[in-house]
Amino acid sequence: MLLNLLVGIPVMLLCLALQAYFVAICLKYFVRYKLLAQEHDSPVHSAVHLGVVMLLMLLGNFAQMAIWAALFHLLGEFDDFATALYHSGVNFATLGYGDMVMTPAWRLLGPLEAANGILMFGVSTAVMTASVSEIIKQHMARVRKHTDD
């Protein structure tokens, strides 16, 4: 059990750092969006912004699944990367199909990845919610400005 933690926690920290990087990219993109939104107010522009944020967050999550899959493959739990990636995706998304299980020596890595995944999906949801909220605020401010004029 201790070995699982010694191997799994650094991977979780790496994934946390990776997700923080993707959040930082989204924040940088979001600042640019806010500046452009002052000039171009359209539903298409808002939809593109939300699409980019969603795509970036998904890419961050997929990259983390790949990191866990690489670990599983390196530990010899799966013969090929594709199978390791499938198992990783099931863990990360907390689906828990149970159609593939790891050996008892490394089985605790599954719940660690699931904890990592649920936290990262929460972060992704928070970033997307913040984006939607800001778009709503900007549209409401424009509506108020036009009605006041």
Side-chain angles (χ1 to χ4, degrees):
M1 182 171 119
L2 182 60
L3 185 58
N4 280 256
L5 293 174
L6 291 173
V7 170
I9 289 176
V11 173
M12 288 179 80
L13 291 173
L14 174 63
C15 289
L16 179 75
L18 184 65
Q19 189 76 355
Y21 177 74
F22 275 92
V23 169
I25 291 171
C26 283
L27 290 174
K28 188 175 180 179
Y29 174 77
F30 189 72
V31 168
R32 207 172 87 216
Y33 164 79
K34 280 191 77 163
L35 294 172
L36 288 174
Q38 293 170 356
E39 300 169 13
H40 309 292
D41 180 31
S42 74
V44 172
H45 190 252
S46 296
V48 167
H49 166 71
L50 291 174
V52 169
V53 169
M54 285 187 263
L55 181 63
L56 285 170
M57 290 293 92
L58 277 173
L59 286 174
N61 290 328
F62 289 153
Q64 292 173 72
M65 289 178 217
I67 289 169
W68 281 99
L71 174 65
F72 299 156
H73 188 62
L74 284 171
L75 293 173
E77 288 296 307
F78 300 100
D79 293 333
D80 59 286
F81 183 77
T83 303
L85 185 59
Y86 167 77
H87 182 75
S88 177
V90 168
N91 286 340
F92 198 84
T94 68
L95 291 171
Y97 287 150
D99 57 340
M100 293 182 183
V101 294
M102 294 173 61
T103 61
W106 295 111
R107 198 170 288 163
L108 186 58
L109 290 176
L112 285 175
E113 184 184 8
N116 183 184
I118 201 160
L119 287 171
M120 295 306 108
F121 279 124
V123 169
S124 298
T125 301
V127 170
M128 288 184 271
T129 300
S131 293
V132 169
S133 179
E134 190 59 35
I135 287 171
I136 290 169
K137 286 179 196 174
Q138 287 179 347
H139 287 301
M140 292 297 292
R142 283 190 198 89
V143 167
R144 279 191 216 114
K145 183 180 175 188
H146 289 301
T147 57
D148 292 343
D149 291 341

